[in-house]
Amino acid sequence: MQGGRHVVSQRRSALAADELRQAGNALYKQGEWRLAIEQYKQAIDLEPWDERFWLNCAAAYTALEEWHEVIEHAEKAIELRYRLLKAWFRKAWAERQVGTKCESNEERWRWLERAWASCKTGIKLSPKDSQMLALLQQVQVERNELEDHRLALEQQQQSAKALLDHDKSMDEQSQLASLPEWSRLKTRANFEFKAAEYSKAARLYTAAIECCQRDEPGSAQLGSLFNNRAACHKALEMFQEAISDASTVLEHDPDNFKALVRRGLSYESIEQMNLALLDMRQARILEPNSKLVARSVDRLTGFCKINPDLIDYNQPESDLDEIEYFL
């Protein structure tokens, strides 16, 4: 008995929903699209699994040019009935319309891609549908135009960059030509060092040092050249040469952080731990926040505590005092 009542109730609900749909259709034909939507939504409340009500809502929103609402209702109709060609058409049409109103080309391309995918699905369902084929062709034309525009813009940007690079290169060459010979050699050496061509860089720094000593003896730039060559020698594992260059720098600039670190690490590499510890201690005073230096000091201090016999006690007294401070 209860089952019979339930069936009757379902039929009444379906009939009421269909009456609302027909009322909505009448309003739609009169151009009363908002009122039509109200009728369709009441029908949806009664029978939410009937794809026709969702599709009719999408049609009314199309007339109102509310494209996101069209997409939402068309997608719901597709969810209920995947092979519903009209729903795919309305969805694709709305996605294209959203794309045409986008300000950025990137967003426009994204929506056109969605419209393209919807059209392709619709054509798979009905390969000869003239409306869907026409829409696909229209979307393809717009995609092509957008792609051509993107390529043209990219070419313009590349041309502009090439021109700027050329001007920059000319300026650099002009500036380089006005520099003294040692400075030009230093610039080339810096380039080789950044490219990890340490042997070439060391040779160029050597030539720069010779030119600077000849043309500008006593120049403050000599320290920078020796320091840079020390970095090359360290990278090449030529530790004695690195120590020699760094020491030359420190003779005139005892608080040169880079020279202290390079000499300290080079000392450590040839197992002169006490001398390495002195340099790294001084470097830590100059740059307390350097993690590299802090780790080196800890490592070297630990080594000297464990291996006191390896400390060279033939150092000057002041150096021994520094060493004892860490032991």
Side-chain angles (χ1 to χ4, degrees), residues 28 55 58-59 62 67 70-71 73-75 77-78 81-97 114-126 129-139:
Y28 181 91
L55 185 60
T62 298
W67 305 116
V70 175
I71 294 167
H73 287 79
E75 287 179 343
I78 290 167
R81 185 180 164 196
Y82 183 80
R83 299 184 65 83
L84 191 60
L85 184 63
K86 284 185 178 180
W88 284 106
F89 180 82
R90 296 197 193 287
K91 179 174 181 290
W93 182 271
E95 287 165 342
R96 174 182 166 271
Q97 294 297 329
R114 287 186 58 172
W116 170 264
S118 296
C119 287
K120 294 289 284 184
T121 302
I123 288 170
K124 284 181 182 178
L125 298 174
S126 181
D129 186 84
S130 59
Q131 281 189 314
M132 191 64 87
L133 288 168
L135 180 57
L136 178 69
Q137 185 175 6
Q138 194 171 9
V139 170

Side-chain angles (χ1 to χ4, degrees), residues 269-280:
S269 296
I270 61 172
E271 299 183 356
Q272 293 289 320
M273 303 304 185
N274 55 326
L275 298 177
L277 184 57
L278 292 174
D279 280 346
M280 300 311 281

